[in-house]
Amino acid sequence: MPLAAAITGTRQTGHRELAWFGYLFRTYLAPWAADDAHFYIGGAKGIDSLTLLWLAGHTQSRITIVVPGTVTQQPAEARQAIARCRDRIAEIVELGAAELRTPAYHARNRHMVDRAQMVLGFPLGGPEGTSGTWQTINYAASQGKPRLIVPI
């Protein structure tokens, strides 16, 4: 059975250079990115956009983008990454949340985890916190799903 994995991560990526993320994804994402793999990505800025661009440019894996509302509500960086990779995105799921607040993001995270076999998490370095990244990782844990956690 092909692997299905949800990707979650911090929106704060300006503290690292783009080349560093390329190395990071070659090391920790590439081993899972077989041609028949399927990745669920949250469609936000930061790790979501960076992993989308990397997967689209370096793999043949299937990519699904999941947003809590609509793509047009996403930050410019995320919209640009989605537009740039549109020919590589198999599906865009717009959950249509009326308000883009914490419950909508948690629903998006659960949607991705519920469809995945594992989670690849790229949280901001430091202790475990209450961010959406950690909420997603912890939800996967509560479902008994494997997690690969790579602090950035």
Side-chain angles (χ1 to χ4, degrees):
M1 175 185 334
L3 174 76
I7 296 175
T8 186
T10 181
R11 291 183 178 129
Q12 300 173 28
T13 56
H15 63 292
R16 302 280 188 189
E17 301 216 5
L18 283 178
W20 186 87
F21 287 103
Y23 169 79
L24 182 80
F25 299 150
R26 280 191 307 278
T27 304
Y28 295 104
L29 189 53
W32 305 103
D35 287 353
D36 61 352
H38 186 169
F39 291 94
Y40 293 88
I41 304 172
K45 68 179 193 169
I47 287 296
D48 288 357
S49 293
L50 292 175
T51 56
L52 168 59
L53 291 166
W54 191 87
L55 285 167
H58 294 89
T59 77
Q60 292 303 309
S61 300
R62 184 174 174 177
I63 301 167
T64 295
I65 300 297
V66 183
V67 296
T70 64
V71 170
T72 58
Q73 293 171 303
Q74 295 304 104
E77 174 186 326
R79 289 192 318 272
Q80 290 166 3
I82 291 168
R84 182 172 164 193
C85 300
R86 188 61 188 107
D87 64 325
R88 284 283 295 113
I89 297 170
E91 180 182 20
I92 295 176
V93 177
E94 296 178 311
L95 296 176
E99 289 187 288
L100 296 185
R101 300 178 60 83
T102 300
Y105 292 103
H106 286 187
R108 183 229 20 222
N109 298 344
R110 287 190 306 273
H111 181 93
M112 294 190 312
V113 171
D114 289 347
R115 287 153 181 78
Q117 298 162 310
M118 72 174 296
V119 170
L120 303 167
F122 298 91
L124 196 56
E128 183 176 332
T130 59
S131 68
T133 301
W134 282 109
Q135 180 272 332
T136 307
I137 292 166
N138 291 334
Y139 178 69
S142 77
Q143 301 299 303
K145 296 185 179 186
R147 287 98 41 222
L148 173 64
I149 302 168
V150 183
I152 64 160

